[in-house]
Structure formats: C-alpha cells, structure tokens
Amino acid sequence: GKKHKLGREDFLSLAGYMRIPPKAAVAAIDAFSRWRGKADEIIDMSFLTSTSKDKLKLIISERSRRMEI
C-alpha cells in the first residue's frame, strides 16, 4: 500500500478541521509522548520474538519522530 508521511502539523490541521480545540490536540500528542516510554517496557515483557519486538519499537520510534515528540 501507499505510505503516508503524516506529521504533527497534519494532526493539528485535522484537529482544527474537526473543531477540536488546539489545546486538546496538543494534549493528545503530549499524552502519546508520555506513553512512549512505557511502551518499550511493555514490548520488552511481551511474548513477541526479538525480531518482532525490534520492529515494533522501530515503528513506534518512527511515528514519534514524525509527531516531533
């Protein structure tokens, strides 16, 4: 499929279109950044293979970077 390189500005633009207050949209991004550290811990404790754990961490890291977290 087609890959989309969506980032923070795209998310904030969508929030504006959906009439979500900017403060709430930024709070959602901030909540994701707080969750990110815990995500690595949960992934490490999971029953996934080492390869799958690494791939999942890479996906989360890339998406976090796109959101400028």
Side-chain angles (χ1 to χ4, degrees), residues 17-69:
Y17 176 78
M18 296 174 67
R19 299 176 195 250
I20 296 171
K23 188 174 179 181
V26 171
I29 293 171
D30 292 344
F32 180 76
S33 76
R34 287 189 301 274
W35 172 84
R36 189 179 180 299
K38 187 69 175 170
D40 284 344
E41 293 176 29
I42 294 169
I43 292 167
D44 287 335
M45 293 186 312
S46 74
F47 294 105
L48 295 170
T49 64
S50 293
T51 303
S52 294
K53 289 178 184 181
D54 292 339
K55 287 179 182 179
L56 185 54
K57 286 180 182 180
L58 184 63
I59 290 168
I60 291 172
S61 177
E62 171 60 23
R63 290 181 183 173
S64 295
R65 186 186 61 73
R66 280 192 229 150
M67 293 301 282
E68 300 170 7
I69 296 175

